[in-house]
Amino acid sequence: MTKIGGKAFDTKLFKRLLVHTKPYRSTYYFVMVAAILLTLFGTLTPILLKVAVDEYITSSDASGLLTFIGIMLGVLLMEVTFQFSFVYFANWLGQEVIRDIRVKLFKHMTAFKMAYFDKSAVGRLVTRAVSDIETIASIFSQGLFMLIADLLKMLVVMVIMLVLEWRLSLIVFAVLPLIVYAARLFQKAMKSAFEQVRTQVANLNTFVQERITGMNIVQLFTREATEYHKFRKINEEHKKAWLRTVWYNSIFFPIAELSSSVTIGLIVWYGGLRAAAGELEIGTIFSFILLIGMLFRPLRQIADKFNTLQMGMVAANRVFAILDTESTIEDQGALEIEKVRGDITFDDVRFSYVADEEVLHGISFEVKAGETVAIVGATGAGKSTIINLLNRFYEIDSGTIAIDGKSIKDFTLTSLRAQSAIVLQDVFLFADSILNNITLRDDRVSEEQVIKAAKQIGIHDFISSLPGGYHYNVKERGAMLSSGQRQLLAFLRAYVTNPSILILDEATSSVDSYSEQLIQDATDTITEGRTSIVIAHRLATIKKADKILVMDAGNIVEVGTHDELLQKEDGYYRNLYEVQFLNEEVA
C-alpha cells in the first residue's frame, strides 16, 4: 500500500492517480495548453499597461491610446476565454476521474469477504466512497493544474521583471524568500491538519450512521443523553481539527499580504526616486505594481493549492488503501451450471472467524436432494456459520463442502450463489418499491411472475392491500412494514428465484401468529421438491424435517428425525425439546 507518511509529496501515489486520466488524455492535454495560454495572455497586461502609459498617456496621444485599448480588450477577451476553458475542463476531468474510481471502489467492495465488513465500520467505508473520493476531484479542479498554471505564471513574471528593470527586480526577489519560507511552513502544517480533519470526518460519519441506524435501541434504553454527550465530544474534536486549518490560514495570509504591500511600497519609493531623476519610465513602475501582484498572489495561492492537492492525496491514499485490500473470495472455479440437483456434503469441515479460535470442529453430514434438514442448537453453536460457508461468504480452514459431488470451489461464485436463496431472521429491504425489493431490479423477473409467485405462496392479498400494491415504497430497511410482513416479502424474494437449495435462517422466530401461519403455508410450497436447510426455533418446522442436526459448541452431537431423537434417554435434543419446545406443543 502506498503511504504518504511524512513526505511532502508522494510521487508514486500521484503517478498512480494520473493513470486514471488515460481515457481522457485529449482533455488532459487541452487543460495543460489552456493553462499555458492563460498564463501568457495574463502576463501581457502589465506589459501593455507600460506601453500605454509611456507611449500614449504621457504623450497625450488620444487616438493611439484608443486603438491600444482595443488591443488590450482583445487580450483580455482571450484571457477570459482560456480562463473559462481551463476551469471548466479541469473540473470536468476531475469529475470523470472520480466517477471511474468510485465505480471501481464500489465494485471492489462488493467482492469483499463478509469478514471484511465484520471488522470495518460502515461510516468509514461511506466516507471513503463519498467524501474522500469527492476530495480527490479537487486535485484536478483546484490542485494539479492550478499549481502548474501558478508556477508557470510566476516564472514568466520573474523573467519579465528582469527584462524590464533588473534593479527593481532585485528588490522584489529579496522579499520573495520570506514568503517562500512561510509558504513551506504553512504547507507542512496544513498537511498534518488536513489528515486530522479526514480522520475526524470519518469518526463523525461512523458515529452518526450507527446511531441513526440503531435509534430504536438508543430510545428504548433511554440513551439519548449519553449519546448526545458522546456526539458533542466527537463534534468538538471535528471542530478543533477544522479550526486548526483556520488558524494556520489566519497566520499565513496576513504575512503574505503584508510582504506584498511592503514590496510595492519599496518599488514605489525606489522607482519614484529614479523616475524623478529621469532614470526610469513611469510605466515601468505601474507595470511592476501589477507584476508584484501576479508574482505574490500565485505564491500565496500555491501554498493553498498545494494543501488542496495534499488533502486530495490523503483522500486518494485512503481510497487506494481499500482498493489494495485483498479480502476477496478466490473465484477460480470454472464450473458454470444453471441448475443443481441439491445434494450437499460437508466432510470434516473446520472453520474459524478469528485465527486459532475454531468455531466448527470437523463437521460432517449429508443432505440428499429434495430433503428438508433442520439444524437446532443453542446460540453460538455454529448453525448460521454452516449457511455462510455453503455460500462461500467465508473460506473454510480445512475439509470439503460439495454440491452434487463437486467442491463448491469448482463453481464460479456467481453460479454457486445462484443455486440457493436465503431467508434471514433480520430481513433487509431497500428504500424502494415492493416489486424492486423482490426482483432486486433483475430484468429477467417480470411483475407478472412476481404476482404469480405471490399467489402461489399465499401472500398476494397482503401485498394488494397496501397502498400502491406491488409499487408501495417500504422506505429505508422496510420501516413501513411489520417484521412479519418483511419476512413474507423475504419468502417471496427467495421463491421467485426458483432456487435448487432453500435456506431458512430462523425465519419465523420473531413474527406474529397470523404471519407465522402464512409463512408456514409458504414454507410448505417453497420447500416442495427442493433441498431445504432450516435453522428454526419453532417446533412445527422441525417436526416436518426429514433429518435434524443437533449442534453444540461447533460440533454435531446428534442426527435423526424428530421421533428418533426423542427416543434417546438424556439426549441433547430431547432435553432441548423439553425445555424449549414442549410448552409450544402443549399451547
Side-chain angles (χ1 to χ4, degrees):
M1 183 182 73
T2 305
K3 292 183 179 180
I4 290 180
K7 292 191 286 184
F9 188 76
D10 193 325
T11 54
K12 184 178 180 181
L13 179 63
F14 188 65
K15 288 178 180 178
R16 182 176 180 184
L17 189 61
L18 286 183
V19 169
H20 292 83
T21 65
K22 283 186 177 180
Y24 315 104
R25 279 300 185 191
S26 58
T27 303
Y28 178 83
Y29 290 125
F30 175 79
V31 173
M32 296 289 283
V33 172
I36 295 173
L37 293 176
L38 176 61
T39 297
L40 294 177
F41 282 107
T43 51
L44 277 177
T45 301
I47 299 175
L48 295 175
L49 179 63
K50 170 181 165 52
V51 174
V53 171
D54 294 338
E55 299 294 332
Y56 299 103
I57 296 177
T58 56
S59 62
S60 301
D61 185 354
S63 60
L65 179 61
L66 185 62
T67 302
F68 199 76
I69 288 175
I71 295 174
M72 295 181 70
L73 286 174
V75 171
L76 178 62
L77 180 62
M78 293 301 294
E79 182 182 358
V80 169
T81 300
F82 285 109
Q83 179 76 37
F84 166 79
S85 300
F86 175 76
V87 172
Y88 177 81
F89 286 104
N91 279 275
W92 181 90
L93 179 62
Q95 291 301 317
E96 291 291 326
V97 168
I98 67 169
R99 180 199 62 186
D100 295 344
I101 295 176
R102 185 178 282 124
V103 169
K104 184 178 180 180
L105 178 66
F106 183 79
K107 182 179 180 181
H108 188 65
M109 288 195 299
T110 57
F112 279 161
K113 301 176 183 177
M114 289 299 107
Y116 180 86
F117 298 103
D118 293 341
K119 300 174 184 177
S120 302
V122 174
R124 291 182 182 276
L125 295 179
V126 171
T127 300
R128 301 295 175 264
V130 181
S131 60
D132 276 345
I133 287 186
E134 200 63 45
T135 304
I136 293 175
S138 64
I139 292 178
F140 300 95
S141 62
Q142 303 175 39
L144 171 65
F145 298 116
M146 287 290 188
L147 272 173
I148 293 173
D150 287 344
L151 288 171
L152 183 60
K153 179 178 286 188
M154 289 176 62
L155 178 62
V156 173
V157 166
M158 292 172 71
V159 172
I160 292 174
M161 283 182 170
L162 287 170
V163 172
L164 288 177
E165 185 20 83
W166 66 270
R167 295 178 184 85
L168 293 182
S169 300
L170 291 179
I171 295 176
V172 177
F173 296 163
V175 180
L176 196 60
L178 173 63
I179 301 181
V180 171
Y181 180 69
R184 174 59 178 164
L185 293 179
F186 174 69
Q187 176 269 319
K188 291 176 68 176
M190 288 294 283
K191 175 182 178 292
S192 173
F194 279 139
E195 287 178 337
Q196 186 63 28
V197 165
R198 299 312 305 165
T199 299
Q200 293 305 324
V201 167
N203 290 341
L204 192 62
N205 283 348
T206 299
F207 185 90
V208 172
Q209 188 273 334
E210 288 182 346
R211 270 55 184 187
I212 291 178
T213 303
M215 188 57 67
N216 59 332
I217 299 298
V218 172
Q219 294 182 354
L220 182 63
F221 289 91
T222 63
R223 304 295 293 173
E224 293 93 337
T226 302
E227 298 302 331
Y228 168 73
H229 290 299
K230 286 182 181 179
F231 178 78
R232 288 196 61 176
K233 184 177 180 181
I234 293 175
N235 198 37
E236 180 68 20
E237 293 300 319
H238 178 262
K239 182 202 73 174
K240 288 179 180 178
W242 273 111
L243 284 181
R244 189 178 168 197
T245 68
V246 173
W247 168 253
Y248 292 141
N249 276 290
S250 64
I251 293 176
F252 172 72
F253 285 103
I255 291 176
E257 193 64 37
L258 178 63
S259 301
S260 176
S261 299
V262 169
T263 305
I264 291 175
L266 291 173
I267 292 296
V268 171
W269 168 72
Y270 180 71
L273 291 177
R274 292 191 61 206
E279 300 175 356
L280 189 69
E281 295 177 321
I282 296 296
T284 302
I285 298 176
F286 279 99
S287 180
F288 259 79
I289 291 174
L290 286 181
L291 289 170
I292 288 171
M294 289 185 174
L295 179 63
F296 283 24
R297 191 181 309 113
L299 187 57
R300 294 197 302 268
Q301 292 175 348
I302 279 175
D304 190 35
K305 301 307 179 190
F306 195 83
N307 282 299
T308 297
L309 180 61
Q310 286 283 14
M311 194 169 183
M313 294 289 282
V314 170
N317 188 58
R318 294 174 186 269
V319 171
F320 285 140
I322 297 179
L323 287 172
D324 291 339
T325 300
E326 296 294 336
S327 184
T328 57
I329 298 291
E330 291 186 7
D331 191 8
Q332 297 180 350
L335 190 58
E336 291 272 3
I337 188 168
E338 292 186 4
K339 205 72 171 175
V340 297
R341 294 190 310 275
D343 293 318
I344 300 173
T345 304
F346 273 60
D347 184 16
D348 195 25
V349 173
R350 295 181 179 274
F351 171 74
S352 53
Y353 290 103
V354 180
D356 301 322
E357 295 182 17
E358 205 169 69
V359 176
L360 297 183
H361 313 292
I363 293 294
S364 297
F365 65 89
E366 291 185 4
V367 182
K368 297 299 182 183
E371 279 189 340
T372 296
V373 174
I375 305 177
V376 300
T379 300
K383 305 185 297 297
S384 295
T385 300
I386 289 178
I387 292 172
N388 288 330
L389 297 180
L390 180 61
N391 285 280
R392 289 195 72 194
F393 291 137
Y394 300 86
E395 292 282 32
I396 61 176
D397 298 338
S398 63
T400 304
I401 303 175
I403 295 178
D404 290 354
K406 299 179 179 65
S407 171
I408 59 174
K409 292 185 178 182
D410 295 337
F411 294 86
T412 63
L413 277 177
T414 301
S415 178
L416 171 67
R417 292 172 180 171
Q419 304 305 317
S420 62
I422 305 178
V423 180
L424 300 173
Q425 178 182 4
D426 183 17
V427 178
F428 187 93
L429 296 177
F430 296 95
D432 207 335
S433 67
I434 287 178
L435 179 63
N436 288 334
N437 269 289
I438 299 305
T439 64
L440 297 178
R441 294 187 177 272
D442 187 343
D443 294 334
R444 295 170 298 179
V445 183
S446 67
E447 183 173 354
E448 290 72 24
Q449 289 175 288
V450 173
I451 294 174
K452 181 180 178 181
K455 289 179 178 178
Q456 288 174 341
I457 64 175
I459 66 172
H460 172 71
D461 292 341
F462 142 63
I463 297 175
S464 299
S465 67
L466 297 171
Y470 288 85
H471 298 279
Y472 177 66
N473 192 311
V474 300
K475 304 302 180 183
E476 187 175 1
R477 298 184 68 89
M480 303 304 292
L481 303 175
S482 69
S483 59
Q485 290 171 327
R486 292 195 295 269
Q487 287 287 1
L488 290 170
L489 295 183
F491 267 77
L492 180 57
R493 181 160 61 191
Y495 187 52
V496 295
T497 63
N498 191 26
S500 299
I501 300 170
L502 178 67
I503 298 170
L504 307 178
D505 188 356
E506 302 182 3
T508 62
S509 62
S510 59
V511 299
D512 55 82
S513 57
Y514 173 73
S515 298
E516 182 184 357
Q517 185 57 52
L518 287 176
I519 289 175
Q520 290 297 343
D521 295 339
T523 301
D524 293 339
T525 303
I526 292 176
T527 57
E528 185 177 354
R530 57 171 53 92
T531 305
S532 302
I533 298 177
V534 182
I535 297 174
H537 286 166
R538 300 297 178 99
L539 181 61
T541 305
I542 297 173
K543 290 178 69 175
K544 293 179 181 179
D546 298 304
K547 185 192 302 182
I548 299 174
L549 305 180
V550 185
M551 296 193 66
D552 181 37
N555 294 289
I556 295 178
V557 294
E558 292 177 355
V559 179
T561 65
H562 172 71
D563 293 332
E564 290 172 349
L565 294 175
L566 286 182
Q567 299 302 317
K568 294 186 177 182
E569 291 289 339
D570 200 29
Y572 190 98
Y573 178 79
R574 180 170 175 169
N575 291 333
L576 183 67
Y577 167 78
E578 291 174 349
V579 172
Q580 185 171 344
F581 300 133
L582 190 57
N583 290 335
E584 179 186 341
E585 186 175 42
V586 171

